[in-house]
Amino acid sequence: MIKQTTGELAIDAVGLVKRFGDQQVVDGISLQVKRGTIYGFLGPNGAGKTTTIKMLATLLRPDGGTATVMGHDLLQDGDGVRQCISLTGQFASVDEEMSGRENLILIGRLVGFSRHGAKQRATDLLRAFRLEEAADRQVKKYSGGMRRRIDIAASIVTAPDLLFLDEPTTGLDPRSRNQVWDIIRALVLSGTTVFLTTQYLEEADQLADRIGVIDHGRLIAEGTSSELKAMVGAGRLTVHLQVAGDLSTARRILEETTGQPVETDERAQRLIAQIADHGEAAAALSRLVLEGLPISDFSMGQPSLDEVFLTLTGKPAQEEGEEAHADQAG
């Protein structure tokens, strides 16, 4: 792999370590995130995702390792880092006693907008996040999904060079989630880099240019969605047979060919086999034809990102107990 120069990177981290007491929550994380891209950061709850973000955003000081963020040294130039980034955490951080509009105008004024400019930016964001009708309502009266939307809007009053999004669509309905996805894509097209953690693997699949998988504080896999899927095999071969009585014979043939257990669905007269590559699938189908077993149809597909995640970590993406140490520290 050709190493990218620091000037091309939004994040260049080497060997980041963070301990809480005797527990090492982040254990030597090294990352390179190219500018103008979306980097998905996945891992089971408690794996160290939030702690890593807090270090890169200068909210926690690393116990080891080095990093530059948008060209600024994380330890020596924290002010420079903070001027280039924005962070949306897992919980709403706006003032609940103020209205959505008041929150956005206040932030706009604080970051240097004129009075008119702050009001216009607030109006634009409220429209983009479908919050116009609730604009003048106190945030404490918002639904959970509305709170997430106003929090994300507050993070992009000014478009940052690097936006950390820590599970940004938690609690949103599918329509609102799609709206947030569109906004994230638009931000990247305008030049912002996005570092995204999420428990919705579809979200990473849809958005991320590259994905890193973290477990027990270590980066255990990294690549594009397609590259990660290829790590656990080409995917599945699904075969529908015309004659139900052929299922047992066909299953034996598929298991001999693939060397893997084959799932049987008698009602649908269907067999599902894990395949290592397309050549193996072709060989299995050829054997079925040569044995005179009529096939009504077949299909092939990559494993889902959920299957990749489970294979790599041994855990589903969503579990109880999110990084209690990180939350206490941050």
Side-chain angles (χ1 to χ4, degrees):
M1 185 177 93
I2 299 175
K3 184 176 175 64
Q4 295 169 311
T5 63
T6 299
E8 298 173 322
L9 298 174
I11 298 172
D12 189 5
V14 179
L16 288 180
V17 172
K18 187 61 188 178
R19 304 180 189 90
F20 296 106
D22 295 332
Q23 185 177 5
Q24 190 148 302
V25 177
V26 175
D27 187 10
I29 291 288
S30 296
L31 294 170
Q32 287 194 328
V33 178
K34 189 176 179 181
R35 295 186 188 222
T37 64
I38 301 174
Y39 188 90
F41 201 47
L42 305 182
N45 285 337
K49 303 185 302 296
T50 296
T51 302
T52 301
I53 279 188
K54 287 186 174 182
M55 286 191 289
L56 293 172
T58 74
L59 296 177
L60 287 175
R61 186 175 180 84
D63 294 317
T66 61
T68 58
V69 177
M70 301 308 299
H72 299 278
D73 187 275
L74 187 66
L75 298 178
Q76 303 300 320
D77 189 13
D79 287 343
V81 172
R82 287 186 284 273
Q83 289 175 6
C84 298
I85 69 171
S86 185
L87 168 64
T88 295
Q90 295 177 11
F91 304 101
S93 58
V94 294
D95 189 330
E96 293 192 344
E97 296 299 323
M98 298 170 62
S99 71
R101 188 188 307 278
E102 289 169 339
N103 270 286
L104 297 180
I105 291 174
L106 174 62
I107 293 170
R109 294 290 284 156
L110 289 173
V111 298
F113 279 84
S114 67
R115 188 180 301 276
H116 174 76
K119 289 181 178 179
Q120 185 59 54
R121 181 59 174 161
T123 297
D124 292 343
L125 287 170
L126 290 164
R127 183 183 303 115
F129 281 83
R130 304 294 177 91
L131 289 169
E132 295 163 288
E133 293 185 4
D136 298 311
R137 192 187 311 164
Q138 285 179 303
V139 170
K140 68 181 180 182
K141 298 179 181 178
Y142 282 14
S143 67
M146 292 166 66
R147 286 173 184 243
R148 292 303 296 154
R149 280 183 277 163
I150 195 66
D151 201 41
I152 297 169
S155 298
I156 60 172
V157 170
T158 56
D161 294 326
L162 172 61
L163 177 60
F164 291 102
L165 293 176
D166 194 9
E167 301 187 12
T169 60
T170 298
L172 297 190
D173 58 77
R175 180 180 178 184
S176 297
R177 187 176 302 148
N178 285 331
Q179 291 169 354
V180 172
W181 290 359
D182 290 340
I183 290 167
I184 292 171
R185 293 186 183 106
L187 279 169
V188 173
L189 287 175
S190 70
T192 295
T193 304
V194 173
F195 190 95
L196 169 74
T197 75
T198 179
Q199 290 191 24
Y200 299 115
L201 299 187
E202 181 192 3
E203 189 160 82
D205 215 352
Q206 289 283 333
L207 294 175
D209 298 290
R210 290 185 67 78
I211 298 169
V213 181
I214 182 177
D215 194 23
H216 297 294
R218 297 182 180 181
L219 192 69
I220 60 172
E222 188 179 39
T224 65
S225 177
S226 295
E227 288 169 346
L228 291 178
K229 291 173 182 178
M231 291 174 64
V232 297
R236 291 181 172 187
L237 170 65
T238 301
V239 179
H240 291 263
L241 299 173
Q242 292 183 14
V243 181
D246 291 339
L247 278 171
S248 60
T249 302
R251 177 175 180 172
R252 174 182 56 79
I253 291 172
L254 290 177
E255 288 180 341
E256 289 175 356
T257 306
T258 65
Q260 300 290 333
V262 173
E263 179 182 339
T264 302
D265 183 343
E266 294 185 359
R267 176 176 295 182
Q269 297 178 201
R270 177 180 65 184
L271 299 169
I272 301 173
Q274 299 295 324
I275 55 172
D277 53 50
H278 293 159
E280 186 173 79
L285 292 169
S286 296
R287 280 202 60 188
L288 292 176
V289 172
L290 290 173
E291 292 286 340
L293 303 176
I295 298 172
S296 59
D297 65 71
F298 70 90
S299 62
M300 295 172 56
Q302 280 190 315
S304 68
L305 202 54
D306 299 76
E307 292 171 316
V308 173
F309 191 92
L310 185 61
T311 299
L312 292 173
T313 68
K315 307 170 189 174
Q318 300 186 53
E319 292 185 340
E320 296 295 324
E322 173 68 27
E323 296 177 23
H325 291 282
D327 291 340
Q328 292 169 5

